[in-house]
Amino acid sequence: MHRTTNTNAMLLLRHCRCLTRVGLLKTQRVQLLQGVALPVAVCSSHRGHKSGQYQRSHGPNWRHALAGLLAGTGAVLAYGLHHSQTEQAATTIVQPIAPASSLPIYTQDEVTKHRSVEEGVWVTYKGSVYDITEFVSMHPGGDKILLAAGGALEPFWALYAVHSQDHVLEILSEYKVGELSAEDRRMQQSVKSTDPYSTDPERHPALRINSLKPFNAEPPAEILSDNYITPSAIFFKRNHLPVPQVDPKSYRLQVEGVPGGAPLSLSLEELKTCFPKHTVTATLQCAGNRRSEMNKVKQVKGLNWGIAAISNATWSGARLKDVLLAAGYMPEVVRQTSHVQFEGLDSDVTGTTYGASIPLNKAVSEEGDVLLAYQMNGEDLPADHGYPVRVVVPGTVGARNVKWLGKIIVSEEESSSHWQQNDYKGFSPATDWDTVDFKSAPAIQELPIQSAITQPAEGAVVERSAEEVTVKGYAWSGGGREVVRVDVSLDGGRTWQVAQLQSSEKGQVPAPSPPPGRAWAWKLWELTAPLPPAAQELEIVCKAVDNSYNMQPDSVAPIWNLRGVLSNAWHRVKVTVKEDEEEQKLL
Amino acid sequence: MHRTTNTNAMLLLRHCRCLTRVGLLKTQRVQLLQGVALPVAVCSSHRGHKSGQYQRSHGPNWRHALAGLLAGTGAVLAYGLHHSQTEQAATTIVQPIAPASSLPIYTQDEVTKHRSVEEGVWVTYKGSVYDITEFVSMHPGGDKILLAAGGALEPFWALYAVHSQDHVLEILSEYKVGELSAEDRRMQQSVKSTDPYSTDPERHPALRINSLKPFNAEPPAEILSDNYITPSAIFFKRNHLPVPQVDPKSYRLQVEGVPGGAPLSLSLEELKTCFPKHTVTATLQCAGNRRSEMNKVKQVKGLNWGIAAISNATWSGARLKDVLLAAGYMPEVVRQTSHVQFEGLDSDVTGTTYGASIPLNKAVSEEGDVLLAYQMNGEDLPADHGYPVRVVVPGTVGARNVKWLGKIIVSEEESSSHWQQNDYKGFSPATDWDTVDFKSAPAIQELPIQSAITQPAEGAVVERSAEEVTVKGYAWSGGGREVVRVDVSLDGGRTWQVAQLQSSEKGQVPAPSPPPGRAWAWKLWELTAPLPPAAQELEIVCKAVDNSYNMQPDSVAPIWNLRGVLSNAWHRVKVTVKEDEEEQKLL
C-alpha cells in the first residue's frame, strides 16, 4: 500500500511540475508574498501562525512542531501545495528564471544575515544560496525550517531523511538566488555532515519498513500470529528520532516534581536492585496501526501502517508506583488530576527530546501495572525498544510508552510535547487540517477494541478440495479490558461464527484469567470453518468484543480522521476459492 | 413497538388455536409424553433439564429460573410451541374431549398427591382440576411451574401478571381432568389470593409502561433530554419483582463474608450517621435500553424498551468501601478476583430475592465511587428506586445497582442469582436459544459507548421555511469513560457534523471535568444545522465517542443477540421536510 500511495502522489507531483516549469525571480516572489494572502500550509503542525509571528515563536513551542515532518505523506501533500501556489503566480507573471551562472556570489556572513521572514530566509545547500522566504509557510514540518535559516541545510536533511527525494531538490532549485563564495564553500565542506542514524542498530530483514530514518517497521502479518509472545526482533518498531547511544554505567534516571518530595536520581543498578522486579505481559499498539485502510478512504497524514503495528511481549522492571513512592509521592498531597510526564533520551538537532505523559491515577494505581522496564522477553531491552529503560504503560497507546527514559516529572499539566499536544488525538471525519483544533480532543491514552485477520492474506487462493478454511488473527482492547469474543464472517458480515480464543503459546497451558481491568495482553484467535458451497470468493471479516462489551465499528469512512489514528473498523480480507480441475471441467 | 409485537404474536396464537381445537384425553397425553421426545421449551431459562430431573432440580438452582417468566415475548413464543405440539398429536389421534359435566370429582388430598412428573402434575384453578404434566416442559418460565404442583395456580398468577391473558386460560382448559370437591372449593375460596403488586407506589402518568407487574417504564424520549438531572418521577423504572414495603425503623443492612472480618448489621440511622455522606451524579442504563431496535431485526426475548431506559440522577449515601472497611475488609487478605454480592429485599413467592454482584476491585476502589445510597436527587429514595437503601455502581449496568438492599456478601464467587448467571450477558448474533451457553460469556458490568436522538422524533415534520433543524440527544459510556464527541449526520451517515456537548443544566455553569475514569454522568448534546437544500427526507444519525475512543457500531444486525441487550448501534431517526406552500405551488 505504501508504495502505491507514494506512486500516486509522485504522479500528482509530476503533473504539477509540468505546469510550473516557469519560475519567478526573487524580487517577484517577494512582491507575491506581500501582495497575496498566502494560505497557511495545510500540513503545518502549528496552524494559525502568521508570518510575522515567526520570530516570536522561537520558544519551546515551535520545537514540538519538529515531529510533523516525520509524516511522509503529509510532506508530499505540502509540496503539492507549493507547486499549485507557484502555478497560480506563474499564470500572472511569466518570466524565465536567470541562468545559474549569472547569479551573484554571496559570503556566508551575508547569508547569515537572512534569518527571518522580515530580512528574508536564506539557506545554503552544496555551495548554492537559496532564498526560501516564500516557502516557509508551505513547509510540511512547520516553521522548524527556520532552524536552518542563515545556514546549511545538510545537517537537518540528514536527520529527516524524507528530504532525500528528487522532487525536494527540484523544489529547492526554484528558490536559488546565488552561489556561496569559494572560500566559504571550502569551509563548509570541511565540516562533515554526520548521519545521526548511523549508530541505529541492525534490524531483522523480515521487517517491512515504513520509514528508515527514523526507523519504523512492522512484521509481516502472516508471521505475527505465529507466536503468542512476539520475538523482540520482529516486534514492531516505532521510533520518532535516532536511537540514542546510552552508556548503562553513566545512565541516570531523574525523577522530579513530586509534591512534598525531593528530586531523585537513580542509576540503572539502583533501579534494578532497590525496587521489586515486576513482570507483565502486555501488548503495545501504535495509534496508527491499520492506517493504510483509512488511506484507502481518503489520504491521511502519517506512516502507512498495515495491520501489524501491534505486538505482544513480556516486560520486567520496577513499578513506576514504587519509584514515585521513593521520590516522596503521597496520595493525599497530589491532585487527582495530575499527570506523570516522561522524557526520552532520544532528541533532535535542537535537543528537543521525545516526550509524553499519562494520568497520575494510572501511574500510581496498584492495578495499573506501569513499569520502568529494563527487560523485554527475559533479556535486556533491545536498542530499538528503549535500552536501558523504557516506560511500559499496559493498556495504553504505544506513544506513551516512552523509550530510552531519561526523566520522570510529576506535574499538574500534561506533557507539552508535540506528540501529546498536537498529535495522537482523534477527530471527527468532518474535521480537516483547516478546521482542526488539537486542544478540542483528549490525548489518546487507552485504545479501543481492535482485531485483525493475519491469515489468510488479502488475495490468497483457497482450494475447493480443502473443503474448509482456517482464519487466524489477533484481538486486543485498551484499558485492561479483556477480549471475550471474536466473531468471524466468511460472507462479508452477513452471518457470523465464533472463533476460538488463545491466551498463551499454542500447546501450553493457558494462563489463568487476569484480574478484572488488568487484561493487558492480546488474544490470538482461530476459526476453521467449512468452505461455503458455491462461493467463488470469500469476504472474510472479523470483529472483537471486550468485557465492557465494546464492539468495533463496521466501516472505516465514519471513523476516518485526518491523522489516520484509531483505525479499528471490522477487518476485511478477500480470498478466491479455486475450484478443483475436475469440477471446473464439469462447469 | 411493544403493542405491535404482542399483536403479531396474538395473531400467530389465534392461528395456532384454530388448528388445535381438538384436544386429547389425559391417558393419550401421557402416551404422547412417553413416546415422543419432547423438545426442551425454547424459552426456559434452564435448558437441558430432562423431565426426569424435575424432582432433583428442587434446589436453589431452579429458583433462579423464576425470572424467565418476566420476559413477556418469550412466554408468547412458548405458548406457540405448546400449540404446535398439540397440533402434531392431533393429526394422529382425533377424538373429542369429554364434556366438563362428565369429568370426575377430586378432593384436594387427591390433587396434592400429584406433584411430580412421575405421579403427574396436577393443579387447581377456580375450582377445576388440571393435569398439566405434559405442559411442564413447555412452560416459558421453566420448571418453576412445579411450585404450584398439587395446589392452586392463583397465587402464582397473581405474582406474574403475564398469565392474565385469555389465551393462557384457553391453553389451561385443554388440560382439565376434573372438578374439585365442593367442600375443598369452599375452603379454597376462603383463602383470598392477594396481589403482591397491590402495594406498589403510584407512578407518574407520563411514563410509558412496558410491563405493569412488575413495573417497567420509561419516560417519553422527547422529555428525557429536557433536564440534565432527570426528575425522580420520570427516571426510568426497572423492577424485577413487586416493590417491597420496608419499615425504615426496623431496617437492617447485613454485611457478611469479609475474610478476617465479622458480620455487620447496620440500621438505617447507623448507615447515615456512622459513615461520611458521599454524593455522585451518575447515569443508570438498563442493559435492554434500545432493545426495540433489535426486535426490528429479529425477535428477541425481553421487555421492548425504546431509547429511554436510561436516566441521570444525583445519588447520596455511604461509600460501599467505607462499610466494607468497617466490616473488617483488609486488601491484603482478600483475593483480587473476589466479588461483592448484593441481595435485594424484593422477593418472589418462594422467597428468592433479586441478586447481583460486582467485582471486588470496583467495590473497594477509591475511585470506584460505589455508594449505598439513601438519597436520590436530594430526597429519600423513592419506593420504585429502592427505599430505603440501594446500591449505586457508577459506570455499571443498571442490573447491578441492587435496590431495597438487604444484604452484602463478599465472596470468591459471583452472585448465583439468575440475573447474574443466566441473564444480562451478551452473545454473538450466531448464538440462539438452542446453542447458548450462559457460562461462556461474562456478566455485563461496564456498558459500552451509547448515544441516541431524543428530538426530533421518528416521523416528525420539519418545515422548509425554518431553514434549519435542531437535533438533541444524550450520550454516555460505561466504566467512567467520558464522552468526548458526538457526531451527527443528516444524510444517513454519509457526512457528519460535531454536536455541542452539555454537562450540566442549561444556563448553569458547566461542572468541572471529572477526574480520569470517573465520568459517571451522561452528556446531553445539541446540533443546529441548516436544512440540506432539496432534501425531502432527513435520515438523522448520531454516534458518540468516549475518551478511550470507543465508537458505536454502525448497524444493529451484527450486534443482535438473543436477549436483546447492549443495543448501541448508531441511532437513526427519519424526518420529513415539508416544503412551503408557495414553493409547493411552484413545484
Side-chain angles (χ1 to χ4, degrees):
Chain A
M1 261 315 293
H2 196 206
R3 198 173 300 155
T4 315
T5 309
N6 273 358
T7 310
N8 288 343
M10 290 297 286
L11 285 174
L12 181 73
L13 276 174
R14 238 171 255 150
H15 174 69
C16 293
R17 257 176 258 140
C18 294
L19 297 172
T20 56
R21 287 272 154 117
V22 182
L24 301 174
L25 284 177
K26 183 208 155 195
T27 46
Q28 289 163 336
R29 285 208 196 93
V30 173
Q31 281 168 358
L32 178 70
L33 187 67
Q34 291 165 340
V36 179
L38 282 181
V40 179
V42 282
C43 297
S44 162
S45 300
H46 268 81
R47 307 198 52 72
H49 279 187
K50 295 291 182 319
S51 43
Q53 294 177 310
Y54 283 135
Q55 287 207 305
R56 267 175 287 137
S57 74
H58 268 272
N61 267 343
W62 59 264
R63 300 201 168 191
H64 309 138
L66 274 166
L69 189 56
L70 304 181
T73 52
V76 170
L77 284 176
Y79 286 121
L81 177 69
H82 154 87
H83 281 287
S84 73
Q85 287 193 3
T86 318
E87 176 191 356
Q88 193 186 348
T91 56
T92 51
I93 312 163
V94 180
Q95 191 171 331
I97 194 165
S101 56
S102 71
L103 290 173
I105 307 288
Y106 295 107
T107 63
Q108 181 62 50
D109 280 353
E110 285 170 304
V111 172
T112 306
K113 286 176 187 152
H114 295 84
R115 304 181 66 172
S116 68
V117 174
E118 289 73 19
E119 301 290 326
V121 178
W122 289 16
V123 294
T124 65
Y125 183 75
K126 292 194 175 168
S128 296
V129 179
Y130 302 86
D131 176 354
I132 59 165
T133 316
E134 183 191 330
F135 182 71
V136 166
S137 65
M138 289 182 275
H139 183 240
D143 41 37
K144 69 178 164 298
I145 197 172
L146 293 173
L147 284 172
L153 282 177
E154 281 88 341
F156 298 92
W157 285 15
L159 185 68
Y160 297 111
V162 70
H163 294 94
S164 308
Q165 298 184 61
D166 287 346
H167 71 267
V168 177
L169 284 176
E170 212 168 324
I171 291 168
L172 183 68
S173 69
E174 295 180 30
Y175 295 98
K176 186 164 173 178
V177 290
E179 301 290 344
L180 198 60
S181 72
E183 193 183 343
D184 285 320
R185 287 176 81 153
R186 271 193 302 276
M187 287 261 308
Q188 206 178 68
Q189 275 162 1
S190 69
V191 183
K192 198 172 158 60
S193 80
T194 56
D195 177 0
Y197 292 98
S198 60
T199 52
D200 264 22
E202 292 287 308
R203 276 92 180 204
H204 195 285
L207 289 168
R208 292 182 177 167
I209 296 170
N210 275 320
S211 130
L212 199 59
K213 299 176 180 183
F215 191 73
N216 288 285
E218 63 190 298
E222 57 272 26
I223 68 169
L224 180 63
S225 57
D226 283 348
N227 299 283
Y228 182 72
I229 300 292
T230 315
S232 303
I234 62 156
F235 195 104
F236 83 98
K237 324 279 178 208
R238 203 301 177 226
N239 297 344
H240 295 83
L241 293 160
V243 174
Q245 305 296 300
V246 185
D247 174 10
K249 290 198 186 68
S250 58
Y251 171 83
R252 308 295 296 185
L253 174 62
Q254 312 294 337
V255 187
E256 298 178 0
V258 178
L264 191 68
S265 170
L266 295 169
S267 70
L268 184 59
E269 195 57 24
E270 286 168 334
L271 190 72
K272 285 182 176 178
T273 55
C274 300
F275 302 92
K277 182 176 172 184
H278 188 61
T279 297
V280 167
T281 298
T283 298
L284 294 189
Q285 183 183 209
C286 177
N289 190 30
R290 300 181 58 197
R291 178 179 283 132
S292 52
E293 291 158 69
M294 285 198 174
N295 265 328
K296 286 180 194 164
V297 172
K298 197 168 78 174
Q299 178 107 45
V300 298
K301 182 175 161 182
L303 294 163
N304 200 44
W305 295 107
I307 64 164
I310 182 170
S311 303
N312 189 45
T314 295
W315 311 93
S316 303
R319 279 189 182 92
L320 172 58
K321 180 182 196 291
D322 294 339
V323 171
L324 290 178
L325 285 170
Y329 167 73
M330 288 172 290
E332 57 280 12
V333 175
V334 184
R335 285 169 63 100
Q336 279 215 332
T337 49
S338 293
H339 303 268
V340 180
Q341 304 177 357
F342 307 114
E343 283 184 14
L345 295 169
D346 47 338
S347 63
D348 61 27
V349 280
T350 72
T352 303
T353 58
Y354 184 79
S357 63
I358 60 171
L360 176 83
N361 72 332
K362 170 72 177 173
V364 298
S365 163
E366 192 69 44
E367 297 164 353
D369 288 324
V370 182
L371 296 188
L372 307 178
Y374 41 78
Q375 283 191 337
M376 176 183 189
N377 294 337
E379 296 176 337
D380 282 353
L381 286 182
D384 264 329
H385 294 288
Y387 182 82
V389 177
R390 78 172 300 172
V391 192
V392 172
V393 192
T396 293
V397 62
R400 314 301 171 214
N401 294 250
V402 174
K403 300 193 277 193
W404 313 289
L405 183 66
K407 199 182 273 186
I408 299 169
I409 306 161
V410 176
S411 170
E412 294 203 4
E413 306 294 331
E414 283 187 286
S415 166
S416 62
S417 91
H418 166 84
W419 298 277
Q420 191 82 19
Q421 299 291 333
N422 297 318
D423 198 351
Y424 295 121
K425 295 186 171 189
F427 294 96
S428 162
T431 302
D432 60 26
W433 289 103
D434 290 328
T435 56
V436 65
D437 170 14
F438 271 95
K439 289 203 181 6
S440 71
I444 300 172
Q445 297 285 352
E446 295 181 357
L447 285 172
I449 178 77
Q450 175 70 287
S451 72
I453 299 158
T454 54
Q455 294 179 44
E458 176 73 24
V461 174
V462 183
E463 301 285 339
R464 166 68 63 196
S465 58
E467 290 180 1
E468 49 184 30
V469 59
T470 294
V471 186
K472 294 184 183 184
Y474 65 77
W476 180 75
S477 188
R481 291 180 282 281
E482 187 175 5
V483 169
V484 297
R485 201 181 77 236
V486 174
D487 296 328
V488 178
S489 173
L490 302 182
D491 55 9
R494 215 172 47 79
T495 63
W496 300 90
Q497 300 175 66
V498 178
Q500 277 216 307
L501 302 181
Q502 178 197 332
S503 56
S504 61
E505 299 293 352
K506 252 194 165 169
Q508 285 187 8
V509 180
S513 225
R518 294 170 83 177
W520 310 126
W522 67 10
K523 295 201 180 171
L524 301 180
W525 55 264
E526 191 171 325
L527 175 82
T528 298
L531 273 178
Q536 299 188 306
E537 190 189 62
L538 308 180
E539 186 180 2
I540 309 177
V541 188
C542 74
K543 64 181 173 85
V545 184
D546 68 25
N547 64 353
S548 295
Y549 284 100
N550 281 297
M551 328 263 177
Q552 296 176 245
D554 309 18
S555 51
V556 182
I559 61 166
W560 183 96
N561 60 84
L562 77 183
R563 274 296 273 117
V565 290
L566 307 158
S567 182
N568 75 328
W570 299 354
H571 187 226
R572 294 165 189 271
V573 163
K574 281 189 183 161
V575 302
T576 309
V577 180
K578 191 180 162 201
E579 298 298 332
D580 304 331
E581 282 184 19
E582 283 302 302
E583 283 187 35
Q584 273 184 323
K585 274 182 202 158
L586 288 173
L587 295 172
Chain B
M1 264 311 295
H2 195 205
R3 198 173 298 154
T4 315
T5 310
N6 272 357
T7 310
N8 289 342
M10 290 298 285
L11 285 173
L12 181 74
L13 276 173
R14 240 171 252 149
H15 175 69
C16 292
R17 256 176 259 139
C18 293
L19 297 172
T20 57
R21 288 274 155 117
V22 183
L24 302 173
L25 284 178
K26 182 208 156 194
T27 48
Q28 288 161 337
R29 286 207 197 95
V30 172
Q31 279 168 359
L32 178 70
L33 186 68
Q34 290 165 341
V36 179
L38 282 181
V40 179
V42 284
C43 296
S44 163
S45 300
H46 268 83
R47 308 196 52 73
H49 278 187
K50 297 288 183 318
S51 44
Q53 294 178 310
Y54 283 137
Q55 284 206 306
R56 266 176 287 136
S57 73
H58 267 272
N61 268 342
W62 59 264
R63 298 198 170 191
H64 309 136
L66 273 164
L69 188 57
L70 303 180
T73 52
V76 170
L77 286 175
Y79 287 121
L81 177 70
H82 154 87
H83 282 288
S84 71
Q85 288 192 2
T86 318
E87 178 191 353
Q88 194 185 346
T91 55
T92 50
I93 310 164
V94 181
Q95 191 172 329
I97 195 164
S101 58
S102 71
L103 289 174
I105 307 288
Y106 294 108
T107 64
Q108 182 62 50
D109 281 352
E110 283 170 306
V111 173
T112 306
K113 284 174 189 156
H114 295 85
R115 304 180 68 171
S116 69
V117 175
E118 289 73 19
E119 301 289 325
V121 178
W122 288 17
V123 294
T124 65
Y125 184 73
K126 292 195 174 168
S128 295
V129 179
Y130 301 87
D131 177 354
I132 59 166
T133 316
E134 183 191 330
F135 182 70
V136 166
S137 66
M138 289 182 274
H139 183 241
D143 42 35
K144 68 176 164 300
I145 197 173
L146 293 174
L147 284 172
L153 283 176
E154 281 87 343
F156 298 92
W157 285 16
L159 184 68
Y160 297 111
V162 70
H163 293 94
S164 308
Q165 299 184 62
D166 286 347
H167 70 269
V168 176
L169 284 176
E170 211 167 326
I171 291 167
L172 182 68
S173 70
E174 295 180 30
Y175 296 97
K176 186 164 173 179
V177 291
E179 301 289 345
L180 198 60
S181 70
E183 194 184 341
D184 285 320
R185 287 175 81 152
R186 271 192 302 276
M187 287 262 307
Q188 206 179 68
Q189 277 164 1
S190 69
V191 183
K192 199 173 156 60
S193 80
T194 57
D195 177 359
Y197 293 98
S198 60
T199 53
D200 265 21
E202 291 287 307
R203 275 94 182 203
H204 195 284
L207 289 169
R208 291 182 177 166
I209 295 170
N210 276 318
S211 131
L212 200 59
K213 298 176 180 183
F215 191 73
N216 287 286
E218 62 190 298
E222 56 272 27
I223 66 168
L224 180 63
S225 56
D226 283 349
N227 299 282
Y228 183 71
I229 301 291
T230 316
S232 304
I234 62 154
F235 195 105
F236 83 98
K237 324 278 178 207
R238 203 297 178 232
N239 297 345
H240 295 83
L241 292 160
V243 173
Q245 304 296 302
V246 185
D247 173 11
K249 291 201 185 65
S250 59
Y251 171 82
R252 308 294 298 184
L253 174 62
Q254 311 294 336
V255 187
E256 298 177 1
V258 179
L264 191 69
S265 171
L266 297 168
S267 70
L268 183 58
E269 194 58 23
E270 285 168 336
L271 190 72
K272 287 182 176 178
T273 56
C274 301
F275 302 93
K277 182 176 172 182
H278 189 60
T279 296
V280 167
T281 299
T283 297
L284 295 190
Q285 182 183 210
C286 177
N289 190 30
R290 299 181 59 198
R291 179 178 283 131
S292 51
E293 291 160 68
M294 286 200 174
N295 264 329
K296 284 178 193 164
V297 172
K298 196 166 78 174
Q299 176 108 46
V300 299
K301 183 175 159 182
L303 293 162
N304 201 46
W305 293 107
I307 63 163
I310 183 171
S311 303
N312 189 46
T314 295
W315 310 93
S316 303
R319 281 190 181 92
L320 173 58
K321 181 181 195 291
D322 295 339
V323 171
L324 290 178
L325 284 170
Y329 166 73
M330 289 172 290
E332 56 281 12
V333 175
V334 183
R335 287 168 62 100
Q336 278 214 333
T337 50
S338 293
H339 305 267
V340 180
Q341 304 177 359
F342 306 115
E343 284 184 13
L345 295 168
D346 47 337
S347 63
D348 62 29
V349 278
T350 72
T352 303
T353 58
Y354 183 78
S357 63
I358 61 171
L360 176 84
N361 71 332
K362 171 73 176 172
V364 298
S365 162
E366 192 70 42
E367 298 163 354
D369 289 323
V370 182
L371 296 188
L372 306 178
Y374 41 78
Q375 282 190 340
M376 177 182 188
N377 294 337
E379 295 177 336
D380 282 354
L381 286 182
D384 264 329
H385 294 286
Y387 181 82
V389 178
R390 76 172 300 173
V391 191
V392 172
V393 192
T396 294
V397 62
R400 314 299 170 213
N401 293 251
V402 175
K403 300 193 275 193
W404 314 290
L405 182 66
K407 197 183 277 187
I408 299 169
I409 307 163
V410 176
S411 168
E412 295 204 2
E413 307 293 332
E414 282 186 286
S415 166
S416 63
S417 90
H418 166 84
W419 298 277
Q420 190 82 18
Q421 299 291 334
N422 298 317
D423 200 350
Y424 295 122
K425 295 186 172 188
F427 294 95
S428 163
T431 302
D432 60 26
W433 289 102
D434 290 327
T435 57
V436 65
D437 170 15
F438 271 95
K439 290 202 180 5
S440 71
I444 300 172
Q445 297 284 352
E446 294 179 358
L447 284 172
I449 178 74
Q450 175 71 288
S451 73
I453 299 158
T454 53
Q455 293 180 44
E458 175 75 22
V461 174
V462 183
E463 300 285 338
R464 165 69 63 193
S465 58
E467 291 180 3
E468 48 184 31
V469 59
T470 294
V471 187
K472 294 184 184 183
Y474 64 78
W476 180 75
S477 189
R481 291 180 282 281
E482 187 174 5
V483 169
V484 297
R485 200 180 78 235
V486 173
D487 296 328
V488 178
S489 174
L490 301 182
D491 54 10
R494 215 172 47 78
T495 63
W496 299 91
Q497 300 175 65
V498 178
Q500 278 217 307
L501 303 181
Q502 178 197 333
S503 56
S504 61
E505 298 294 350
K506 255 196 162 166
Q508 285 188 7
V509 180
S513 224
R518 294 169 83 175
W520 310 125
W522 67 11
K523 294 201 179 169
L524 300 180
W525 54 264
E526 190 170 327
L527 174 83
T528 298
L531 273 178
Q536 297 188 309
E537 189 189 61
L538 307 180
E539 186 181 1
I540 309 176
V541 188
C542 73
K543 64 181 173 85
V545 185
D546 67 26
N547 64 354
S548 297
Y549 284 101
N550 281 298
M551 328 264 178
Q552 295 177 245
D554 309 19
S555 52
V556 182
I559 60 166
W560 184 96
N561 60 83
L562 77 184
R563 274 296 273 117
V565 289
L566 306 156
S567 184
N568 74 329
W570 299 355
H571 188 225
R572 294 165 188 272
V573 163
K574 282 188 181 160
V575 302
T576 308
V577 181
K578 192 181 161 197
E579 299 297 333
D580 303 330
E581 282 183 21
E582 284 302 304
E583 285 187 33
Q584 273 183 324
K585 272 181 203 159
L586 288 173
L587 295 172

